[in-house]
Amino acid sequence: MVKLSIGIDIGGTNTAIGVVNQDGKILIEDSIPTPPKKLNSNAAQQVSDNLLNDFITEISKTIKSIRTKINFDYEIVGIGIGAPNANYNEGTIEYPPNLPFAGKVAFCEILSAELPDIPLIHITNDANAAALGEKIYGGARNMDNFVMFTLGTGIGSGIYYHGNVVYGVDGFAGECGHNTIIVDGRLCGCGGRGHLEAYCSAPGMKRTAFELLLRDHAEDSLLSAYSYKEMTAKHIYDAAMQGDKIALEVFEMTGKYFGMALATTVHHFSPEAIFLFGGPVAAGDLIIKPIKEGLEKHLLTIFRKRDIPVLISELDPGHAAILGASALVWNT
Amino acid sequence: MVKLSIGIDIGGTNTAIGVVNQDGKILIEDSIPTPPKKLNSNAAQQVSDNLLNDFITEISKTIKSIRTKINFDYEIVGIGIGAPNANYNEGTIEYPPNLPFAGKVAFCEILSAELPDIPLIHITNDANAAALGEKIYGGARNMDNFVMFTLGTGIGSGIYYHGNVVYGVDGFAGECGHNTIIVDGRLCGCGGRGHLEAYCSAPGMKRTAFELLLRDHAEDSLLSAYSYKEMTAKHIYDAAMQGDKIALEVFEMTGKYFGMALATTVHHFSPEAIFLFGGPVAAGDLIIKPIKEGLEKHLLTIFRKRDIPVLISELDPGHAAILGASALVWNT
């Protein structure tokens, strides 16, 4: 009997569901819309409860329909879910910024009531799931101590140490995107200031681009043609590939800040390797080189001897979220 | 038969040795001088080897002499050593900045050869030992996930997670004193810039005092009477107790920077509590209050709900180093 895991990735607009085998192959995949976040209203709590129940029923239906398509002997070992503000310890989603659920939601419990034959349902945030995906199916298969940073709209981190992700006493550990790197610096999406995410995420890179444009009054830069609203990290990448000085410096600066933040993580854990995942990392050496330089510069001497590997995730970017979520099942 | 541990604390000037029972009571204590660091010379390696062997022989003799004074049935379970740049994984001291040993020294192995009847010898750095001391004898007895920061001439940290100190892949993890908190900031003793230690250690507080003196041109401050060389953290404390504005702001600023650094550690581990040890912490609320404010300010919202305890070490400051070292034996 083939053992299978179901991975669910709850994103801001879509929720992807896939059946995954122990080798990390996605056998069947489907997706449903994630209900959109509504504006607050008096009826918000009621709306939230209804949306939540409908959403979970929809997930459950989709899983049942997917299962009818499996045409061999199999056993579903469990379900793993990746979601923002997910609490592994309690199986909850708590005060998610981009989902329409209010307060603390017992997501695993409600889903389990809909699918009573599934023996195991775990949930964690996307970055922790990415770390597990790397451990179970990717480049960290033989490692027992590594960190994963995910770069995109935000910055997430997952820390794998001695057999499991570090969840901490409350289930929320591994939020290095919100480490302060510049005292009283840029406003972060979370409301704090100077966080890593405000400098080194894709939107952070755009902010750096404008910082450099105005600093150098660089009207000759290719990047000076975009409005603040329209510029994306992709524009910066394209300009850098054409040798644009400002764009190149954005990658340089982003990498150096990021490397500095990584040094702090190394000082905590002294991991075997650091894995990076996400859009900005696809720029390759343009960003990896300054990351390594920043890391080296900010590491205590004793850690420099080891030349800690900074590696790009081996998971297929298009499927990493489902794979990561499904890995929760195999790691328990 | 009473089980006993021997704790050895190798400091810059003295090496303290004590016999400790499982309740953390030091039964007998002695100390020998630590050989001083010599200037480099052609004969440095030879000098270093001789000094090392003589030093270890001296430690071994002292232990033998201490043992003759124990007048009841006992069993030495092992020896725990606290030393700068100690590597727990390998039992070595590596390139210590303030000891006269060159390169990587197999300290545990050499001592074990001198004392073949001791079944267990472990070594780690002072801050990791302090964390273990807190776990075995102090306020962290019932905790499985906490961090310890030691403040003094430098800043050390020890992280206790799931049954042991986090040593990392190379034995050196937990060096949070060297996390960069200010990009291109003050020179640190390690040669890096902007490290926590350069701001929040006792000498860091002095540097802050002068920064504030010159900023405000505060010739009326009590602290303006001291030369850069003579001022100590004690002077700052005394001035603060007399209501000196600059001195009070030093504590305020030190605490806020320190709290910010603690937030980064919480983002990594989400510990149950944070313990602080060392001279500056004796100032009590003068420094603890701004530390808590800094922590709160820089924590991601999701961690703020929990009001993470910032606690002062329960170990007797005069004996904490021996106790911490001895705890290495009980934790294995």
Side-chain angles (χ1 to χ4, degrees), chain B residues 80-110:
Chain B
I81 308 167
N85 282 32
N87 183 332
Y88 176 85
N89 293 359
E90 305 202 18
T92 51
I93 300 181
E94 305 186 16
Y95 307 90
N98 301 313
L99 297 176
F101 318 134
K104 187 169 166 174
V105 164
F107 206 91
C108 292
E109 195 184 312
I110 306 175

PDB file of all heavy atoms in Angstrom, chain B residues 80-110:
ATOM      1  N   GLY B  80      33.206  19.585  34.575  1.00  0.00           N
ATOM      2  CA  GLY B  80      32.698  20.533  33.583  1.00  0.00           C
ATOM      3  C   GLY B  80      33.578  21.772  33.599  1.00  0.00           C
ATOM      4  O   GLY B  80      33.965  22.259  34.661  1.00  0.00           O
ATOM      5  N   ILE B  81      33.928  22.259  32.419  1.00  0.00           N
ATOM      6  CA  ILE B  81      34.840  23.405  32.317  1.00  0.00           C
ATOM      7  C   ILE B  81      34.167  24.533  31.544  1.00  0.00           C
ATOM      8  O   ILE B  81      33.576  24.305  30.478  1.00  0.00           O
ATOM      9  CB  ILE B  81      36.140  23.008  31.579  1.00  0.00           C
ATOM     10  CG1 ILE B  81      36.760  21.763  32.217  1.00  0.00           C
ATOM     11  CG2 ILE B  81      37.142  24.175  31.562  1.00  0.00           C
ATOM     12  CD1 ILE B  81      37.854  21.116  31.361  1.00  0.00           C
ATOM     13  N   GLY B  82      34.255  25.733  32.076  1.00  0.00           N
ATOM     14  CA  GLY B  82      33.820  26.919  31.344  1.00  0.00           C
ATOM     15  C   GLY B  82      35.057  27.713  30.925  1.00  0.00           C
ATOM     16  O   GLY B  82      35.908  28.010  31.754  1.00  0.00           O
ATOM     17  N   ALA B  83      35.167  28.015  29.635  1.00  0.00           N
ATOM     18  CA  ALA B  83      36.347  28.742  29.144  1.00  0.00           C
ATOM     19  C   ALA B  83      35.987  29.511  27.881  1.00  0.00           C
ATOM     20  O   ALA B  83      35.094  29.089  27.133  1.00  0.00           O
ATOM     21  CB  ALA B  83      37.484  27.765  28.835  1.00  0.00           C
ATOM     22  N   PRO B  84      36.688  30.631  27.639  1.00  0.00           N
ATOM     23  CA  PRO B  84      36.418  31.370  26.403  1.00  0.00           C
ATOM     24  C   PRO B  84      36.764  30.532  25.169  1.00  0.00           C
ATOM     25  O   PRO B  84      37.736  29.781  25.176  1.00  0.00           O
ATOM     26  CB  PRO B  84      37.328  32.596  26.504  1.00  0.00           C
ATOM     27  CG  PRO B  84      38.305  32.313  27.593  1.00  0.00           C
ATOM     28  CD  PRO B  84      37.709  31.273  28.478  1.00  0.00           C
ATOM     29  N   ASN B  85      35.968  30.702  24.113  1.00  0.00           N
ATOM     30  CA  ASN B  85      36.182  29.981  22.840  1.00  0.00           C
ATOM     31  C   ASN B  85      36.262  28.469  22.990  1.00  0.00           C
ATOM     32  O   ASN B  85      36.953  27.793  22.226  1.00  0.00           O
ATOM     33  CB  ASN B  85      37.440  30.489  22.115  1.00  0.00           C
ATOM     34  CG  ASN B  85      37.177  31.812  21.414  1.00  0.00           C
ATOM     35  OD1 ASN B  85      36.371  32.620  21.896  1.00  0.00           O
ATOM     36  ND2 ASN B  85      37.815  32.039  20.285  1.00  0.00           N
ATOM     37  N   ALA B  86      35.550  27.955  23.976  1.00  0.00           N
ATOM     38  CA  ALA B  86      35.533  26.508  24.158  1.00  0.00           C
ATOM     39  C   ALA B  86      34.542  25.895  23.187  1.00  0.00           C
ATOM     40  O   ALA B  86      33.489  26.452  22.918  1.00  0.00           O
ATOM     41  CB  ALA B  86      35.132  26.173  25.584  1.00  0.00           C
ATOM     42  N   ASN B  87      34.906  24.748  22.664  1.00  0.00           N
ATOM     43  CA  ASN B  87      34.077  24.024  21.711  1.00  0.00           C
ATOM     44  C   ASN B  87      33.562  22.753  22.375  1.00  0.00           C
ATOM     45  O   ASN B  87      34.312  21.805  22.601  1.00  0.00           O
ATOM     46  CB  ASN B  87      34.924  23.698  20.474  1.00  0.00           C
ATOM     47  CG  ASN B  87      34.116  23.001  19.397  1.00  0.00           C
ATOM     48  OD1 ASN B  87      33.135  22.316  19.689  1.00  0.00           O
ATOM     49  ND2 ASN B  87      34.516  23.178  18.149  1.00  0.00           N
ATOM     50  N   TYR B  88      32.283  22.749  22.691  1.00  0.00           N
ATOM     51  CA  TYR B  88      31.672  21.604  23.376  1.00  0.00           C
ATOM     52  C   TYR B  88      31.778  20.337  22.541  1.00  0.00           C
ATOM     53  O   TYR B  88      32.129  19.274  23.049  1.00  0.00           O
ATOM     54  CB  TYR B  88      30.203  21.905  23.674  1.00  0.00           C
ATOM     55  CG  TYR B  88      29.447  20.756  24.284  1.00  0.00           C
ATOM     56  CD1 TYR B  88      29.478  20.528  25.658  1.00  0.00           C
ATOM     57  CD2 TYR B  88      28.700  19.887  23.483  1.00  0.00           C
ATOM     58  CE1 TYR B  88      28.791  19.468  26.220  1.00  0.00           C
ATOM     59  CE2 TYR B  88      28.008  18.825  24.050  1.00  0.00           C
ATOM     60  CZ  TYR B  88      28.056  18.616  25.404  1.00  0.00           C
ATOM     61  OH  TYR B  88      27.370  17.565  25.954  1.00  0.00           O
ATOM     62  N   ASN B  89      31.491  20.451  21.262  1.00  0.00           N
ATOM     63  CA  ASN B  89      31.466  19.257  20.401  1.00  0.00           C
ATOM     64  C   ASN B  89      32.817  18.542  20.377  1.00  0.00           C
ATOM     65  O   ASN B  89      32.877  17.332  20.340  1.00  0.00           O
ATOM     66  CB  ASN B  89      31.091  19.618  18.959  1.00  0.00           C
ATOM     67  CG  ASN B  89      29.654  20.098  18.832  1.00  0.00           C
ATOM     68  OD1 ASN B  89      28.924  20.150  19.826  1.00  0.00           O
ATOM     69  ND2 ASN B  89      29.250  20.469  17.629  1.00  0.00           N
ATOM     70  N   GLU B  90      33.890  19.336  20.376  1.00  0.00           N
ATOM     71  CA  GLU B  90      35.207  18.721  20.210  1.00  0.00           C
ATOM     72  C   GLU B  90      36.031  18.679  21.498  1.00  0.00           C
ATOM     73  O   GLU B  90      37.121  18.107  21.518  1.00  0.00           O
ATOM     74  CB  GLU B  90      35.991  19.458  19.113  1.00  0.00           C
ATOM     75  CG  GLU B  90      35.201  19.491  17.805  1.00  0.00           C
ATOM     76  CD  GLU B  90      36.080  19.695  16.595  1.00  0.00           C
ATOM     77  OE1 GLU B  90      37.312  19.482  16.682  1.00  0.00           O
ATOM     78  OE2 GLU B  90      35.542  20.091  15.548  1.00  0.00           O
ATOM     79  N   GLY B  91      35.559  19.327  22.550  1.00  0.00           N
ATOM     80  CA  GLY B  91      36.317  19.326  23.802  1.00  0.00           C
ATOM     81  C   GLY B  91      37.569  20.174  23.743  1.00  0.00           C
ATOM     82  O   GLY B  91      38.546  19.948  24.455  1.00  0.00           O
ATOM     83  N   THR B  92      37.536  21.184  22.871  1.00  0.00           N
ATOM     84  CA  THR B  92      38.730  21.997  22.635  1.00  0.00           C
ATOM     85  C   THR B  92      38.531  23.458  23.050  1.00  0.00           C
ATOM     86  O   THR B  92      37.403  23.920  23.220  1.00  0.00           O
ATOM     87  CB  THR B  92      39.078  21.986  21.129  1.00  0.00           C
ATOM     88  OG1 THR B  92      37.891  22.324  20.396  1.00  0.00           O
ATOM     89  CG2 THR B  92      39.551  20.623  20.685  1.00  0.00           C
ATOM     90  N   ILE B  93      39.649  24.164  23.204  1.00  0.00           N
ATOM     91  CA  ILE B  93      39.626  25.633  23.275  1.00  0.00           C
ATOM     92  C   ILE B  93      40.309  26.106  22.001  1.00  0.00           C
ATOM     93  O   ILE B  93      41.407  25.648  21.676  1.00  0.00           O
ATOM     94  CB  ILE B  93      40.380  26.160  24.522  1.00  0.00           C
ATOM     95  CG1 ILE B  93      39.731  25.628  25.805  1.00  0.00           C
ATOM     96  CG2 ILE B  93      40.409  27.688  24.537  1.00  0.00           C
ATOM     97  CD1 ILE B  93      40.397  26.122  27.086  1.00  0.00           C
ATOM     98  N   GLU B  94      39.665  27.008  21.271  1.00  0.00           N
ATOM     99  CA  GLU B  94      40.194  27.381  19.954  1.00  0.00           C
ATOM    100  C   GLU B  94      40.456  28.877  19.845  1.00  0.00           C
ATOM    101  O   GLU B  94      39.553  29.684  19.973  1.00  0.00           O
ATOM    102  CB  GLU B  94      39.201  26.922  18.869  1.00  0.00           C
ATOM    103  CG  GLU B  94      38.905  25.431  19.001  1.00  0.00           C
ATOM    104  CD  GLU B  94      38.048  24.854  17.874  1.00  0.00           C
ATOM    105  OE1 GLU B  94      37.925  25.513  16.829  1.00  0.00           O
ATOM    106  OE2 GLU B  94      37.529  23.741  18.061  1.00  0.00           O
ATOM    107  N   TYR B  95      41.697  29.221  19.606  1.00  0.00           N
ATOM    108  CA  TYR B  95      42.107  30.603  19.374  1.00  0.00           C
ATOM    109  C   TYR B  95      41.517  31.570  20.407  1.00  0.00           C
ATOM    110  O   TYR B  95      40.907  32.571  20.038  1.00  0.00           O
ATOM    111  CB  TYR B  95      41.702  31.052  17.966  1.00  0.00           C
ATOM    112  CG  TYR B  95      42.177  30.116  16.890  1.00  0.00           C
ATOM    113  CD1 TYR B  95      41.394  29.042  16.472  1.00  0.00           C
ATOM    114  CD2 TYR B  95      43.440  30.283  16.306  1.00  0.00           C
ATOM    115  CE1 TYR B  95      41.837  28.158  15.506  1.00  0.00           C
ATOM    116  CE2 TYR B  95      43.883  29.406  15.327  1.00  0.00           C
ATOM    117  CZ  TYR B  95      43.076  28.354  14.927  1.00  0.00           C
ATOM    118  OH  TYR B  95      43.521  27.486  13.961  1.00  0.00           O
ATOM    119  N   PRO B  96      41.702  31.286  21.703  1.00  0.00           N
ATOM    120  CA  PRO B  96      41.092  32.179  22.701  1.00  0.00           C
ATOM    121  C   PRO B  96      41.800  33.529  22.716  1.00  0.00           C
ATOM    122  O   PRO B  96      43.035  33.576  22.690  1.00  0.00           O
ATOM    123  CB  PRO B  96      41.316  31.428  24.012  1.00  0.00           C
ATOM    124  CG  PRO B  96      42.547  30.622  23.768  1.00  0.00           C
ATOM    125  CD  PRO B  96      42.518  30.233  22.322  1.00  0.00           C
ATOM    126  N   PRO B  97      41.048  34.630  22.736  1.00  0.00           N
ATOM    127  CA  PRO B  97      41.684  35.942  22.654  1.00  0.00           C
ATOM    128  C   PRO B  97      42.510  36.299  23.901  1.00  0.00           C
ATOM    129  O   PRO B  97      43.490  37.014  23.792  1.00  0.00           O
ATOM    130  CB  PRO B  97      40.504  36.912  22.480  1.00  0.00           C
ATOM    131  CG  PRO B  97      39.284  36.148  22.886  1.00  0.00           C
ATOM    132  CD  PRO B  97      39.577  34.710  22.712  1.00  0.00           C
ATOM    133  N   ASN B  98      42.135  35.766  25.082  1.00  0.00           N
ATOM    134  CA  ASN B  98      42.820  36.206  26.306  1.00  0.00           C
ATOM    135  C   ASN B  98      43.570  35.109  27.050  1.00  0.00           C
ATOM    136  O   ASN B  98      43.916  35.256  28.207  1.00  0.00           O
ATOM    137  CB  ASN B  98      41.802  36.844  27.263  1.00  0.00           C
ATOM    138  CG  ASN B  98      41.117  38.027  26.612  1.00  0.00           C
ATOM    139  OD1 ASN B  98      41.763  38.881  26.027  1.00  0.00           O
ATOM    140  ND2 ASN B  98      39.787  38.044  26.685  1.00  0.00           N
ATOM    141  N   LEU B  99      43.812  33.985  26.380  1.00  0.00           N
ATOM    142  CA  LEU B  99      44.573  32.912  27.023  1.00  0.00           C
ATOM    143  C   LEU B  99      45.852  32.688  26.209  1.00  0.00           C
ATOM    144  O   LEU B  99      45.876  32.952  25.012  1.00  0.00           O
ATOM    145  CB  LEU B  99      43.759  31.623  27.081  1.00  0.00           C
ATOM    146  CG  LEU B  99      42.466  31.656  27.923  1.00  0.00           C
ATOM    147  CD1 LEU B  99      41.723  30.342  27.814  1.00  0.00           C
ATOM    148  CD2 LEU B  99      42.763  31.978  29.377  1.00  0.00           C
ATOM    149  N   PRO B 100      46.909  32.182  26.865  1.00  0.00           N
ATOM    150  CA  PRO B 100      48.204  32.096  26.173  1.00  0.00           C
ATOM    151  C   PRO B 100      48.372  30.819  25.362  1.00  0.00           C
ATOM    152  O   PRO B 100      49.491  30.370  25.161  1.00  0.00           O
ATOM    153  CB  PRO B 100      49.192  32.118  27.347  1.00  0.00           C
ATOM    154  CG  PRO B 100      48.456  31.470  28.463  1.00  0.00           C
ATOM    155  CD  PRO B 100      46.992  31.762  28.266  1.00  0.00           C
ATOM    156  N   PHE B 101      47.270  30.213  24.908  1.00  0.00           N
ATOM    157  CA  PHE B 101      47.395  28.985  24.136  1.00  0.00           C
ATOM    158  C   PHE B 101      47.190  29.281  22.667  1.00  0.00           C
ATOM    159  O   PHE B 101      46.259  29.982  22.290  1.00  0.00           O
ATOM    160  CB  PHE B 101      46.364  27.945  24.589  1.00  0.00           C
ATOM    161  CG  PHE B 101      46.200  27.878  26.067  1.00  0.00           C
ATOM    162  CD1 PHE B 101      44.948  27.852  26.631  1.00  0.00           C
ATOM    163  CD2 PHE B 101      47.313  27.867  26.898  1.00  0.00           C
ATOM    164  CE1 PHE B 101      44.789  27.801  28.003  1.00  0.00           C
ATOM    165  CE2 PHE B 101      47.166  27.819  28.275  1.00  0.00           C
ATOM    166  CZ  PHE B 101      45.894  27.793  28.835  1.00  0.00           C
ATOM    167  N   ALA B 102      48.057  28.695  21.850  1.00  0.00           N
ATOM    168  CA  ALA B 102      47.964  28.971  20.419  1.00  0.00           C
ATOM    169  C   ALA B 102      47.059  27.956  19.736  1.00  0.00           C
ATOM    170  O   ALA B 102      47.020  26.789  20.106  1.00  0.00           O
ATOM    171  CB  ALA B 102      49.355  28.950  19.801  1.00  0.00           C
ATOM    172  N   GLY B 103      46.332  28.405  18.748  1.00  0.00           N
ATOM    173  CA  GLY B 103      45.539  27.515  17.894  1.00  0.00           C
ATOM    174  C   GLY B 103      44.447  26.783  18.628  1.00  0.00           C
ATOM    175  O   GLY B 103      43.756  27.342  19.472  1.00  0.00           O
ATOM    176  N   LYS B 104      44.313  25.494  18.292  1.00  0.00           N
ATOM    177  CA  LYS B 104      43.215  24.658  18.795  1.00  0.00           C
ATOM    178  C   LYS B 104      43.793  23.664  19.790  1.00  0.00           C
ATOM    179  O   LYS B 104      44.650  22.860  19.456  1.00  0.00           O
ATOM    180  CB  LYS B 104      42.621  23.940  17.574  1.00  0.00           C
ATOM    181  CG  LYS B 104      41.391  23.153  17.826  1.00  0.00           C
ATOM    182  CD  LYS B 104      40.777  22.728  16.481  1.00  0.00           C
ATOM    183  CE  LYS B 104      39.723  21.658  16.675  1.00  0.00           C
ATOM    184  NZ  LYS B 104      39.027  21.358  15.412  1.00  0.00           N
ATOM    185  N   VAL B 105      43.330  23.738  21.030  1.00  0.00           N
ATOM    186  CA  VAL B 105      43.931  22.951  22.098  1.00  0.00           C
ATOM    187  C   VAL B 105      42.943  21.876  22.567  1.00  0.00           C
ATOM    188  O   VAL B 105      41.812  22.188  22.954  1.00  0.00           O
ATOM    189  CB  VAL B 105      44.295  23.896  23.269  1.00  0.00           C
ATOM    190  CG1 VAL B 105      44.553  23.110  24.530  1.00  0.00           C
ATOM    191  CG2 VAL B 105      45.495  24.755  22.901  1.00  0.00           C
ATOM    192  N   ALA B 106      43.373  20.617  22.570  1.00  0.00           N
ATOM    193  CA  ALA B 106      42.498  19.500  22.981  1.00  0.00           C
ATOM    194  C   ALA B 106      42.453  19.422  24.502  1.00  0.00           C
ATOM    195  O   ALA B 106      42.937  18.472  25.128  1.00  0.00           O
ATOM    196  CB  ALA B 106      42.993  18.201  22.371  1.00  0.00           C
ATOM    197  N   PHE B 107      41.843  20.429  25.101  1.00  0.00           N
ATOM    198  CA  PHE B 107      41.903  20.613  26.552  1.00  0.00           C
ATOM    199  C   PHE B 107      41.345  19.406  27.317  1.00  0.00           C
ATOM    200  O   PHE B 107      41.969  18.907  28.258  1.00  0.00           O
ATOM    201  CB  PHE B 107      41.146  21.891  26.928  1.00  0.00           C
ATOM    202  CG  PHE B 107      41.626  22.505  28.198  1.00  0.00           C
ATOM    203  CD1 PHE B 107      42.628  23.469  28.197  1.00  0.00           C
ATOM    204  CD2 PHE B 107      41.091  22.109  29.421  1.00  0.00           C
ATOM    205  CE1 PHE B 107      43.084  24.029  29.384  1.00  0.00           C
ATOM    206  CE2 PHE B 107      41.545  22.653  30.607  1.00  0.00           C
ATOM    207  CZ  PHE B 107      42.540  23.621  30.601  1.00  0.00           C
ATOM    208  N   CYS B 108      40.180  18.940  26.929  1.00  0.00           N
ATOM    209  CA  CYS B 108      39.545  17.832  27.664  1.00  0.00           C
ATOM    210  C   CYS B 108      40.390  16.566  27.588  1.00  0.00           C
ATOM    211  O   CYS B 108      40.538  15.841  28.568  1.00  0.00           O
ATOM    212  CB  CYS B 108      38.148  17.559  27.108  1.00  0.00           C
ATOM    213  SG  CYS B 108      36.989  18.893  27.446  1.00  0.00           S
ATOM    214  N   GLU B 109      40.950  16.322  26.415  1.00  0.00           N
ATOM    215  CA  GLU B 109      41.754  15.113  26.215  1.00  0.00           C
ATOM    216  C   GLU B 109      43.007  15.132  27.095  1.00  0.00           C
ATOM    217  O   GLU B 109      43.350  14.138  27.740  1.00  0.00           O
ATOM    218  CB  GLU B 109      42.135  15.044  24.730  1.00  0.00           C
ATOM    219  CG  GLU B 109      42.665  13.702  24.277  1.00  0.00           C
ATOM    220  CD  GLU B 109      43.096  13.770  22.812  1.00  0.00           C
ATOM    221  OE1 GLU B 109      42.300  14.295  21.988  1.00  0.00           O
ATOM    222  OE2 GLU B 109      44.221  13.344  22.502  1.00  0.00           O
ATOM    223  N   ILE B 110      43.683  16.297  27.117  1.00  0.00           N
ATOM    224  CA  ILE B 110      44.915  16.385  27.912  1.00  0.00           C
ATOM    225  C   ILE B 110      44.606  16.253  29.405  1.00  0.00           C
ATOM    226  O   ILE B 110      45.292  15.550  30.139  1.00  0.00           O
ATOM    227  CB  ILE B 110      45.663  17.715  27.629  1.00  0.00           C
ATOM    228  CG1 ILE B 110      45.913  17.876  26.113  1.00  0.00           C
ATOM    229  CG2 ILE B 110      46.987  17.773  28.382  1.00  0.00           C
ATOM    230  CD1 ILE B 110      46.526  19.208  25.719  1.00  0.00           C
TER     231      ILE B 110
END
